[in-house]
Amino acid sequence: MDSTIRRSIFIFFVAHCLHDVSAWSGPPTPRRSMIRDQLLLPIIGATIGATQCAPPRMAVAAETTSPAAIAVEAQLSSSSAAAALSSGVLWRTARGDALPATPSSLAQIMKDEFLGPVSAAASSGIVCISERHDDMEHHKIQLKVLMTMKKVLTERSQDVSEKLSVGMEMFQRRHQIYLDRYVAKPQEYSLADLMRDTKWNSTWGYDILHYLPLLLFAQKFRIRILGLHPSEEEVEFVKLHGLNANNGSSSPPIIGGVRTDDREHAEDFRRVTALQMSLSDFGGCVEAMEAAIARQYEVQCFREEYMAETAAIQMASQPDGWIALLAGERHILKRNGLPFRALRRSTNIRMKGFLSLPSLNRGLFTIVPRTEPFPAAAKDAIGMESADYVWYVQRDPSTEFREHEVNAAPMRKMDRRA
């Protein structure tokens, strides 16, 4: 299919998301009807098996002995409720309860839990939203979070072009001049120009259409997009020489303060990485395989610390604003990758200028999207040790997705046959 036609089909598929947060709701559709009577997690007034949930908290997960469906009470089966549930369920891990992922519920969370009371001083903070890079459902969730942040900040008379920025793992720090041009001069600098100048297909490589709605949203409201990632040359230097190598003047700069002493973070990385390796690739030498994993861990820490430094630099120039960081789930889950590193670095910068702080810092929040078939067991929900919020959503049945492949951005099945 011609790329121009494919892009037009894709834009039609997601363009409604760019108009307003209210676009989430509306009359019920076949998809909404399909999930109207079942929720992934219990919400206020829902039942789990034979156990009644006492609002506003969910029943104890241990009481669920099988992945039984969770029925929604009669008042939630109306057309308006069906529409409200179409974006999935927000699981608040600290409270152990869930809400339909509607614009109003997310906005209320941001007002109460993110920004704080209206009477307080202007606030600042970090929101990290993870993703599977080729899952459009995750990117739609990221977009909805940004849309809601924009809405809530605007309601508080905050200029989002000055108070909100978006950091993206997909772009490098050295791409900043092109990202700024893309946001500032949409009539002169196109997506094709951005892809060309950032060498998108070689530096990232995933389908750009996954990120197009996010880019268009930032461009429309003049929200700064930050390239978080180090360059290939910087990553390659660490891969070859490690973090402690003598960095000569002719080599890419290595940032200081790269922490590698988080045992849980290191063990999680080792476990996942070892599954992707074969001992035969190292001639059966366990020590060689462990050395390779150790070096890859240094690279991972370097990448996360570099992205955190990029975010902290932006927060220093925007001390009374918010930054949303978009990165892969391995960087955000459990917070000990990018989130805690960004919080540590930004806090250090803030403390140096403590007496002149213009706003109340609200800290760090993490949101992890999960695409799951509905219904699922509440007992399987991840806990507060992994994220602050988990956004469960069911995959749009009108699109195709292959779990063990790299997926292009979705198109309607009928369009794909065209």
Side-chain angles (χ1 to χ4, degrees):
M1 182 183 295
D2 180 83
S3 61
T4 302
I5 297 175
R6 179 172 177 270
R7 184 169 299 173
S8 299
I9 293 172
F10 176 78
I11 292 173
F12 175 78
F13 178 56
V14 298
H16 69 280
C17 294
L18 295 173
H19 294 302
D20 191 78
V21 175
S22 62
W24 298 16
S25 59
T29 64
R31 175 175 178 246
R32 288 167 178 155
S33 300
M34 180 176 63
I35 68 172
R36 178 175 57 198
D37 298 323
Q38 292 180 323
L39 268 181
L40 175 65
L41 295 168
I43 65 169
I44 294 174
T47 58
I48 176 167
T51 304
Q52 177 70 28
C53 285
R57 300 185 65 81
M58 65 171 286
V60 178
E63 297 177 4
T64 305
T65 57
S66 65
I70 298 165
V72 181
E73 288 190 339
Q75 74 269 24
L76 292 177
S77 63
S78 64
S79 295
S80 60
L85 298 180
S86 65
S87 288
V89 179
L90 269 171
W91 176 247
R92 296 190 290 190
T93 62
R95 297 191 182 193
D97 64 15
L99 297 169
T102 62
S104 59
S105 61
L106 182 57
Q108 198 62 48
I109 286 174
M110 288 196 173
K111 291 174 184 176
D112 296 343
E113 301 175 21
F114 285 38
L115 273 64
V118 177
S119 58
S123 62
S124 63
I126 304 169
V127 180
C128 297
I129 316 159
S130 69
E131 65 177 59
R132 170 171 164 165
H133 301 312
D134 65 341
D135 193 333
M136 192 63 204
E137 299 298 337
H138 292 190
H139 297 303
K140 287 193 286 187
I141 286 172
Q142 291 172 330
L143 177 62
K144 289 170 183 175
V145 172
L146 294 177
M147 292 167 74
T148 307
M149 291 184 72
K150 179 260 176 190
K151 179 177 183 292
V152 172
L153 287 170
T154 301
E155 288 176 351
R156 297 194 178 193
S157 301
Q158 303 287 310
D159 184 346
V160 291
S161 66
E162 297 178 358
K163 305 298 184 182
L164 179 62
S165 56
V166 181
M168 299 180 69
E169 177 193 359
M170 309 81 217
F171 294 103
Q172 299 173 7
R173 189 190 294 179
R174 65 179 179 179
H175 294 157
Q176 196 58 53
I177 184 174
Y178 308 122
L179 293 167
D180 289 343
R181 190 178 302 166
Y182 177 78
V183 170
K185 300 180 178 180
Q187 304 303 320
E188 302 176 14
Y189 195 76
S190 68
L191 179 67
D193 295 328
L194 180 65
M195 292 179 66
R196 179 199 65 221
D197 292 341
T198 61
K199 297 180 174 61
W200 173 271
N201 290 330
S202 60
T203 59
W204 189 246
Y206 288 92
D207 190 345
I208 189 68
L209 297 184
H210 282 299
Y211 301 96
L212 181 58
L214 294 160
L215 295 172
L216 291 175
F217 176 78
Q219 187 183 67
K220 179 178 180 180
F221 296 104
R222 299 293 189 267
I223 296 170
R224 194 179 196 205
I225 303 169
L226 296 172
L228 295 178
H229 205 269
S231 67
E232 306 99 302
E233 293 83 4
E234 290 166 322
V235 171
E236 186 65 20
F237 182 88
V238 176
K239 188 181 299 183
L240 291 175
H241 306 290
L243 291 170
N244 297 322
N246 182 21
N247 185 26
S249 59
S250 61
S251 302
I254 302 298
I255 63 171
V258 179
R259 297 283 296 271
T260 60
D261 56 354
D262 188 311
R263 180 174 297 179
E264 183 181 16
H265 185 253
E267 290 176 351
D268 287 343
F269 181 88
R270 188 204 175 283
R271 183 178 63 255
V272 173
T273 305
L275 293 174
Q276 301 167 351
M277 292 182 168
S278 172
L279 191 58
S280 61
D281 295 334
F282 300 90
C285 180
V286 175
E287 291 80 4
M289 181 172 167
E290 291 296 331
I293 293 175
R295 179 56 55 83
Q296 288 191 31
Y297 182 62
E298 288 191 348
V299 172
Q300 180 83 345
C301 292
F302 169 69
R303 292 172 60 211
E304 290 173 347
E305 205 76 61
Y306 193 104
M307 290 191 287
E309 182 186 67
T310 308
I313 292 170
Q314 173 64 19
M315 292 194 72
S317 65
Q318 182 185 303
D320 57 348
W322 285 79
I323 185 169
L325 304 179
L326 314 183
E329 185 176 290
R330 286 186 75 181
H331 295 302
I332 290 176
L333 193 66
K334 294 189 176 181
R335 308 182 189 85
N336 50 11
L338 174 60
F340 280 167
R341 296 177 194 272
L343 181 62
R344 167 171 52 82
R345 286 182 174 268
S346 62
T347 299
N348 288 343
I349 291 175
R350 288 177 64 86
M351 293 304 293
K352 290 177 181 178
F354 185 80
L355 295 178
S356 60
L357 288 182
S359 64
L360 173 65
N361 186 266
R362 299 285 294 178
L364 169 74
F365 302 89
T366 58
I367 301 173
V368 173
R370 286 289 170 88
T371 309
E372 303 276 359
F374 284 14
K379 66 183 179 64
D380 295 331
I382 65 177
M384 63 181 296
E385 73 282 353
S386 296
D388 296 303
Y389 308 90
V390 187
W391 190 323
Y392 291 97
V393 67
Q394 183 170 245
R395 192 170 307 287
D396 188 332
S398 68
T399 63
E400 296 178 355
F401 188 87
R402 295 176 175 84
E403 190 67 34
H404 302 293
E405 299 179 15
V406 176
N407 294 273
M411 294 182 291
R412 298 291 187 187
K413 291 177 182 177
M414 66 179 67
D415 296 328
R416 192 177 289 276
R417 292 194 297 267

